[in-house]
Amino acid sequence: MLRGAELQAIYVMWLRQMKRFIRSRSRVIATIVQPLFFLFLLGSGLRAAMIPGMTGDYIYFLAPGLIAMAIMLSSMYTGVSVLWDKQFGFLQEVLVAPIGRLSIIIGRTLGGATTALIQGFIILFIAIGLGVPISNISGLLLTLVFMVLIAFTAVGFGLIIASKMEDFQGFQIIMNLLIMPLFFLSTAFFPIATNPVMPSWVKTLSFLNPLFYMVDGLRGSLTGLDNTFPPIFDLLIVIVICSVMMTLGSYFFSKSEA
Amino acid sequence: MEIIKTENFTKKFNGFTAVDHISFTVKKGEIFGFLGPNGAGKTTTIKMLTTLLHPTEGSAKLAGYDIINERDKVRQNLGVVFQDPALDTELTGRENLDYHARMYGLNKDTRKKRIKDVLMLVDLEEKKDVLVKNYSGGMKRRLEIARGLMHSPTVLFLDEPTLGLDAQTRRAIWKYIKKMNKEENTSIFLTTHYMDEADYLCDRVGIIDYGKILVIDSTSNLKNAVGNDVITLSSSELNKLGKKLEKEPWVKNIKQHDTFLTIGVKKGEEKIPVVFEIARSLEIKIKSIGVRKPTLDDVFLYFTGRSMRDEEPENPFKERVRIHGRR
């Protein structure tokens, strides 16, 4: 049951994230500069390159991948930032308040998702400005659904990491050893399944990669170019992944600080 | 009326007993203190009473509510100032207070009024819109105390409220604690390993060591238990003199340290000549002698058999590290 106080708590958690985001100027700047950097340098550098399995401009291919990546990294960071609160003791202050753990998780997730979506939208607008084609209006709406789902999934994943770890070193290791390879296998930067020169085991690996369905779905709904599966199929899989991650994240978070 | 009542309260971490079957009560309106060295189980007790940790055994009630089965009621009735600062440093002082109040379900008007009240109490009105990361250590502590009071809790927990603060700031914090105890009529449960702090602030003190409460009483009663006066003396052949004095009927207690003896007595001034007499009869030369009123140091020594000053140098992270290690 959500009482008034619980709604207030969710709001406070969300508001806190927003204030922190807006106040950390470096993060705001990085949010805008990093995707620009990727889009312009990587996009224009590889614009004329012929990449097998790809039609049209490289920027058209890259933009959906970058949107997914930005949302994912930002949301994951929010989930993991529970570690900061743990280290700086702020988590205790929240945990002794007469509010449910679920409200804390919901508020945090919404806050993280909001900041991540802001970043996602910035890239989306820049991409559209650079001429990335949009398939149609319903596709654009489906794009938004994918962005939200990606954000929630990544916050859930971040919460799992934060609950299982005591400091940030472990997070760095996970980023380098797990997340980066998963990104490369997600078709965010280059095509895999439609690419005839890729060995078949890489294709198999990419199909086992949860990130693949997020990137593929986002690409399918936004531009409708070079996606492997129909967006609806990706959507179903992403909904399942998202539910699993959020459930596990909430479970581990509520367990970790008994 | 009892604000806190525990029975056989116990916490074990992987076989290590941090809090060992303690039973005590805290009365309405009083300042109650746990005095003990680092790792004695003070913080663990607070964590259990504030619903952050589950007791392994035993039960406790806070403001009449069971800490296990009525958690939300308990949480509504308590405020805490943790040993380590628990503020969001990226927010302003006012925001920290406001967010806290929202989580406790205070409406807009009450929030405004309370923020004003508690900021006034700790003299931080002028700094309310400054980011907390720009606060000094003493200001942070004051803000935390103010925050703990925001929702007018029945009892406020203070875990080592002046740890790591300079002497002047400590005095100021003590003043605020006394003030809020009086003005807000808040019962206070505090832990400390500073004798002077317990002595100055507490109405009653529980001495805790190795997870057990050794004694609970008012500070004056505790000191009386040691003797009205304490004689400290150093001499040659300390051992011999100590053994002899031990048998004297007027000696309430005696303790031998490395280079001196402490003797609890009544009417200390009249006993000094007697001590000299005895020493002379043994042909022992007294190097120095003095008489003073007992401190909580003497009390601690009396009940635990060791001085808190014998402890290793203060390390504020010790207890915390140990708790983390046990998880």
Side-chain angles (χ1 to χ4, degrees):
Chain A
M1 279 307 285
L2 286 179
R3 294 175 289 120
E6 302 288 340
L7 287 179
Q8 275 282 359
I10 292 173
Y11 174 68
V12 166
M13 291 289 126
W14 178 84
L15 190 62
R16 177 171 170 251
Q17 299 271 351
M18 299 315 290
K19 292 231 172 173
R20 286 179 71 104
F21 175 70
I22 292 164
R23 277 182 198 160
S24 85
R25 219 165 285 153
S26 54
R27 225 181 124 194
V28 176
I29 291 170
T31 298
I32 299 167
V33 171
Q34 201 194 21
L36 279 179
F37 172 78
F38 266 101
L39 268 180
F40 280 111
L41 289 184
L42 206 56
S44 52
L46 292 173
R47 184 159 228 163
M50 285 300 294
I51 298 174
M54 207 183 80
T55 49
D57 206 311
Y58 180 61
I59 284 192
Y60 305 169
F61 187 86
L62 183 65
L66 280 184
I67 295 172
M69 188 175 90
I71 294 177
M72 213 170 301
L73 290 181
S74 171
S75 309
M76 210 157 17
Y77 177 80
T78 307
V80 173
S81 68
V82 171
L83 271 179
W84 280 120
D85 285 354
K86 227 190 229 179
Q87 268 175 349
F88 289 104
F90 188 79
L91 195 61
Q92 287 186 321
E93 145 77 6
V94 176
L95 292 180
V96 291
I99 50 174
R101 298 281 154 94
L102 192 62
S103 307
I104 300 172
I105 295 167
I106 293 173
R108 230 192 153 92
T109 307
L110 289 178
T114 312
T115 50
L117 287 175
I118 292 172
Q119 290 168 293
F121 274 110
I122 290 173
I123 307 175
L124 181 61
F125 288 136
I126 294 171
I128 292 172
L130 288 174
V132 172
I134 294 165
S135 55
N136 51 47
I137 290 298
S138 58
L140 194 61
L141 291 177
L142 194 56
T143 304
L144 304 187
V145 174
F146 270 108
M147 285 165 73
V148 172
L149 286 174
I150 292 171
F152 282 150
T153 310
V155 174
F157 182 68
L159 280 176
I160 298 174
I161 301 177
S163 307
K164 289 280 143 201
M165 279 175 189
E166 290 287 329
D167 55 45
F168 264 94
Q169 270 97 31
F171 176 57
Q172 290 299 339
I173 293 170
I174 286 194
M175 282 304 294
N176 291 333
L177 289 185
L178 185 66
I179 304 301
M180 282 335 272
L182 285 183
F183 262 122
F184 286 118
L185 280 176
S186 73
T187 70
F189 304 113
F190 49 84
I192 293 175
T194 50
N195 187 340
V197 297
M198 279 287 173
S200 63
W201 62 270
V202 176
K203 285 180 197 174
T204 314
L205 271 185
S206 84
F207 289 146
L208 293 174
N209 177 4
L211 270 58
F212 165 78
Y213 298 95
M214 300 176 190
V215 172
D216 194 56
L218 195 65
R219 178 171 292 130
S221 51
L222 182 66
T223 62
L225 297 172
D226 301 316
N227 49 311
T228 313
F229 297 115
I232 293 297
F233 174 76
D234 291 318
L235 182 68
L236 289 176
I237 292 183
V238 173
I239 288 175
V240 172
I241 297 169
C242 182
S243 318
V244 170
M245 281 299 170
M246 280 307 292
T247 312
L248 285 180
S250 317
Y251 174 77
F252 281 122
F253 177 76
S254 57
K255 278 275 160 188
S256 73
E257 291 287 331
Chain B
M1 193 191 141
E2 286 153 354
I3 290 295
I4 300 174
K5 185 175 172 60
T6 76
E7 261 168 58
N8 287 321
F9 220 32
T10 304
K11 182 71 192 178
K12 291 178 183 161
F13 297 100
N14 307 326
F16 170 81
T17 310
V19 175
D20 196 356
H21 297 88
I22 60 173
S23 303
F24 66 94
T25 56
V26 177
K27 292 176 207 142
K28 187 169 173 54
E30 79 172 334
I31 303 185
F32 179 88
F34 258 7
L35 175 68
N38 287 324
K42 305 185 300 274
T43 300
T44 308
T45 307
I46 285 198
K47 284 201 167 161
M48 287 194 286
L49 287 172
T50 55
T51 73
L52 284 176
L53 280 178
H54 258 293
T56 316
E57 218 180 290
S59 63
K61 283 193 172 197
L62 192 143
Y65 301 110
D66 188 89
I67 60 142
I68 297 164
N69 299 321
E70 294 166 291
R71 284 180 153 208
D72 271 1
K73 290 275 189 196
V74 170
R75 288 173 178 170
Q76 197 76 48
N77 275 290
L78 67 86
V80 208
V81 177
F82 296 103
Q83 187 170 329
D84 310 296
L87 295 161
D88 189 329
T89 52
E90 300 291 327
L91 300 177
T92 66
R94 196 196 57 77
E95 283 167 345
N96 265 290
L97 296 179
D98 188 52
Y99 291 6
H100 176 91
R102 283 174 190 267
M103 288 196 285
Y104 284 78
L106 269 57
N107 66 35
K108 198 176 176 193
D109 292 336
T110 320
R111 287 205 302 268
K112 252 195 172 152
K113 188 183 169 301
R114 286 300 292 166
I115 288 176
K116 205 168 158 241
D117 289 351
V118 297
L119 282 176
M120 195 126 75
L121 183 79
V122 297
D123 291 326
L124 277 176
E125 297 114 307
E126 281 165 23
K127 300 283 181 187
K128 67 176 195 288
D129 291 320
V130 176
L131 291 183
V132 172
K133 63 179 169 192
N134 299 323
Y135 277 30
S136 70
M139 282 159 68
K140 280 184 187 156
R141 232 341 107 92
R142 271 145 66 197
L143 183 65
E144 289 202 290
I145 291 175
R147 186 179 64 181
L149 288 172
M150 269 301 286
H151 55 288
S152 311
T154 322
V155 57
L156 183 67
F157 290 88
L158 301 169
D159 195 1
E160 299 275 4
T162 63
L163 187 71
L165 300 178
D166 61 79
Q168 204 182 352
T169 314
R170 290 183 69 204
R171 288 266 160 204
I173 298 281
W174 289 355
K175 195 187 87 194
Y176 296 123
I177 294 174
K178 282 264 190 198
K179 198 164 140 196
M180 75 183 170
N181 175 243
K182 207 184 266 168
E183 285 180 12
E184 304 255 336
N185 198 21
T186 314
S187 311
I188 292 167
F189 179 107
L190 66 84
T191 71
T192 184
H193 67 275
Y194 296 121
M195 301 290 169
D196 52 346
E197 187 160 286
D199 205 1
Y200 182 86
L201 286 175
C202 297
D203 299 312
R204 287 191 310 137
V205 171
I207 292 184
I208 180 167
D209 200 16
Y210 296 114
K212 287 195 173 84
I213 295 180
L214 303 171
V215 63
I216 298 179
D217 215 328
S218 67
T219 45
S220 54
N221 279 352
L222 286 176
K223 286 184 211 162
N224 283 341
V226 182
N228 297 356
D229 288 316
V230 176
I231 294 176
T232 52
L233 70 83
S234 66
S235 70
S236 56
E237 296 180 76
L238 216 52
N239 246 329
K240 202 170 155 194
L241 183 62
K243 288 237 168 67
K244 177 79 179 163
L245 283 170
E246 214 167 23
K247 291 178 193 121
E248 294 295 318
W250 46 269
V251 171
K252 286 186 106 175
N253 63 77
I254 185 161
K255 195 93 208 171
Q256 188 176 336
H257 306 263
D258 288 345
T259 55
F260 62 99
L261 286 169
T262 53
I263 312 157
V265 295
K266 274 187 180 151
K267 295 185 180 161
E269 302 83 358
E270 295 174 15
K271 299 300 182 304
I272 288 179
V274 184
V275 173
F276 267 102
E277 205 97 340
I278 292 169
R280 192 173 308 140
S281 71
L282 294 170
E283 292 184 347
I284 289 171
K285 204 178 160 213
I286 289 178
K287 290 177 193 152
S288 72
I289 190 161
V291 61
R292 59 176 169 80
K293 290 284 165 200
T295 64
L296 277 178
D297 256 314
D298 301 304
V299 174
F300 190 81
L301 182 70
Y302 177 75
F303 285 104
T304 65
R306 61 201 175 87
S307 168
M308 292 236 309
R309 292 212 196 95
D310 296 344
E311 289 287 308
E312 58 213 279
E314 178 50 34
N315 178 357
F317 298 106
K318 190 178 148 208
E319 199 162 16
R320 204 175 150 216
V321 168
R322 280 180 49 175
I323 283 168
H324 271 282
R326 278 189 227 121
R327 269 216 202 105

